[in-house]
Amino acid sequence: MLGMVGGTAVAAALAGCSTILGDDDGAVADGDADVPDEPIQAGLQTYTEGAASVLGLQAQYGAEIAIQRINDAGGIAGREMELDVAHEADAAVENYTQFVDEGKDVTFGPISSGGHAALAPEVESQGVVNVGTDGTVTTLYEDTVPDPTYSFRFQNYDVMECVTAAREAVSRLGADNIDSIAGINPNYAFGQDEWKFFKLAIEKLVGDVEVTHEGFPDLLADDMSTHITQVNDTEPDVTFSSCWGGDVTTLMNQAAANDMFDNTQLVGSVLYSAVDELGQDVVEQAEAFSGSRNWYWDFPNGSRWSPNEDLFQEAQDQYDVVPTAHFMSGYGAVTAWATATEKAVQLTGGWPSQEQIARSLEDHGFHTPAGYHVMGSDHQGKSNAYSGRMEWDDDLGRAVLEDVNVFTPQEVAPPIGTDAEAWVNSW
């Protein structure tokens, strides 16, 4: 059971616990706060159709379950939440502007790193808080909006999961057995950012390596055979891929058909995002290692950590999916905003302004079934990172992660105020 000082029924529900410990001395009780009667209007943009929806719908499902739990617990200071969902496509800024014009109290998303880089300056201009679900490019809060007020991101970002993948590769293969690497990564900001940081981190961990292939297939490409052939011809010790969603399915299906897994060890940052689409033969051939960002639904196992088991069962019952880290992206983004807003209500005695909610989110710590998270003063969420070996589970009828490794934020993230590339180079 969690112990949370100053906790509330909403915080407990979102953490997956039925009761909480601690007290609220000095805070205004929700029932005494001066708040409007009408529901909170929220907007989420994510991929709801096409190959990218393999990942995008998971974020939507997670956000929806978080809001169900908030409403079942009586709402935030008595206000229930209502959620509108927009298809992200290539319209991150347009979707956000539409949400603001409609009077939304808060927005969530997007998925795409390119979309997030375009969106964040608009959020600062419009002044309605957005909590990003994914869109994990490293430069977002280093270069694009280095001094944000209203823009936040829940999910661990690129440098964190690339350092995780590099440490995972060294842990599994041994530093002395990694002399050459290749990369197959999607051809946009996210894929280029991930390859840059994986290559930098692995070189720091094992010394000089030969790069035998650097391939950047277009996002949602239907043919990756050119890159697979290059890997087969050069046989690198490790092939890193940040492909996600439908691109994982394409890469791994075509790699299995062309025996790529006989010639290299595949290590990915988010391969598990395609868990509901991958077949048994492919999973068993690949024996791949995959990151799972800041949550894996079976670690700790449900017998030891019931909030994991309960959320997994809700996802199965409502949506018939194995929830992934992107499910937690949606769930966690809503939880970050909801718990910070309720804290601001208690402190101010009324419904807080956008600026007061934003200030409440800074250095805000909160629980979800994935564990404890902190939204830093740099507006970047940081949590433990997970990675494991993908194996087929006959009972589940899907891939699972075995022998899960857990990496703390201190192991995979630069200190606040430190440039990520400079931090890795300082090792």
Side-chain angles (χ1 to χ4, degrees):
M1 190 63 65
L2 297 175
M4 296 185 291
V5 175
T8 68
V10 166
L14 289 166
C17 273
S18 58
T19 60
I20 55 176
L21 302 176
D23 58 55
D24 290 330
D25 289 348
V28 176
D30 288 351
D32 298 330
D34 181 15
V35 300
D37 294 330
E38 62 266 23
I40 298 161
Q41 300 298 322
L44 166 70
Q45 56 174 317
T46 186
Y47 289 98
T48 61
E49 58 189 62
S53 67
V54 172
L55 183 156
L57 287 174
Q58 289 263 352
Q60 178 181 337
Y61 299 156
E64 289 175 346
I65 285 187
I67 288 174
Q68 287 171 24
R69 288 183 169 190
I70 289 168
N71 293 340
D72 289 346
I76 301 172
R79 297 183 69 186
E80 294 194 347
M81 291 188 72
E82 295 179 352
L83 180 70
D84 283 343
V85 180
H87 177 47
E88 185 173 327
D90 295 321
V93 174
E94 291 81 358
N95 287 334
Y96 172 79
T97 302
Q98 180 67 33
F99 284 151
V100 172
D101 290 345
E102 292 170 354
K104 294 288 190 286
D105 298 289
V106 60
T107 67
F108 303 105
I111 296 292
S112 164
S113 286
H116 208 170
L119 171 63
E122 184 67 16
V123 172
E124 294 304 307
S125 175
Q126 296 272 8
V128 174
V129 169
N130 181 80
V131 183
T133 53
D134 293 88
T136 53
V137 66
T138 303
T139 52
L140 186 71
Y141 295 129
E142 291 186 350
D143 300 326
T144 306
V145 282
D147 187 22
T149 299
Y150 301 101
S151 172
F152 295 82
R153 176 167 57 191
F154 167 74
Q155 187 58 272
N156 289 352
Y157 59 121
D158 289 354
V159 66
M160 297 178 70
E161 59 188 13
C162 293
V163 171
T164 296
R167 293 193 185 282
E168 174 79 348
V170 171
S171 169
R172 305 290 183 174
L173 276 68
D176 293 341
N177 296 317
I178 301 175
D179 297 318
S180 56
I181 61 172
I184 302 176
N185 296 278
N187 190 22
Y188 74 113
F190 169 73
Q192 293 158 1
D193 196 43
E194 291 251 329
W195 173 238
K196 167 188 165 181
F197 278 107
F198 177 81
K199 186 168 58 172
L200 188 62
I202 201 79
E203 287 177 340
K204 285 293 180 181
L205 292 172
V206 308
D208 291 338
V209 294
E210 178 188 4
V211 178
T212 69
H213 177 63
E214 296 178 296
F216 294 96
D218 290 339
L219 188 65
L220 308 181
D222 59 9
D223 184 0
M224 299 191 188
S225 59
T226 299
H227 307 289
I228 291 166
T229 298
Q230 286 292 314
V231 170
N232 280 340
D233 287 347
T234 59
E235 299 186 0
D237 296 316
V238 172
T239 296
F240 171 75
S241 180
S242 57
C243 285
W244 52 271
D247 280 353
V248 175
T249 311
T250 302
L251 172 63
M252 293 187 65
N253 285 347
Q254 294 182 3
N258 290 280
D259 301 322
M260 189 187 89
F261 301 122
D262 293 338
N263 299 314
T264 191
Q265 174 62 58
L266 180 63
V267 177
S269 51
V270 282
L271 300 174
Y272 197 70
S273 61
V275 61
D276 291 298
E277 303 294 324
L278 295 172
Q280 179 176 359
D281 290 348
V282 171
V283 170
E284 290 180 342
Q285 280 191 55
E287 297 183 332
F289 297 112
S290 175
S292 188
R293 292 198 163 169
N294 65 9
W295 182 51
Y296 176 56
W297 57 269
D298 197 36
F299 189 90
N301 183 270
S303 63
R304 295 174 52 215
W305 181 233
S306 60
N308 257 351
E309 186 174 40
D310 293 343
L311 191 60
F312 175 84
Q313 197 59 52
E314 281 189 71
Q316 287 265 285
D317 293 344
Q318 292 199 39
Y319 304 109
D320 192 26
V321 298
V322 171
T324 67
H326 309 285
F327 185 100
M328 185 52 63
S329 297
Y331 189 98
V334 171
T335 303
W337 183 85
T339 52
T341 298
E342 186 152 77
K343 181 173 66 178
V345 170
Q346 293 174 337
L347 291 172
T348 64
W351 193 256
S353 67
Q354 290 289 334
E355 183 175 0
Q356 287 171 325
I357 292 171
R359 294 309 180 199
S360 184
L361 270 161
E362 291 180 341
D363 293 322
H364 175 54
F366 56 98
H367 291 87
T368 74
Y372 191 69
H373 313 267
V374 174
M375 191 69 74
S377 58
D378 58 353
H379 291 214
Q380 174 59 56
K382 293 186 178 71
S383 318
N384 285 341
Y386 300 88
S387 187
R389 185 178 61 249
M390 292 175 68
E391 292 188 358
W392 188 258
D393 185 277
D394 287 331
D395 293 334
L396 186 63
R398 307 281 208 286
V400 294
L401 295 182
E402 294 288 353
D403 300 329
V404 173
N405 284 322
V406 183
F407 301 91
T408 66
Q410 290 79 8
E411 293 176 285
V412 297
I416 290 177
T418 304
D419 176 87
E421 186 170 351
W423 173 66
V424 178
N425 275 321
S426 71
W427 295 357

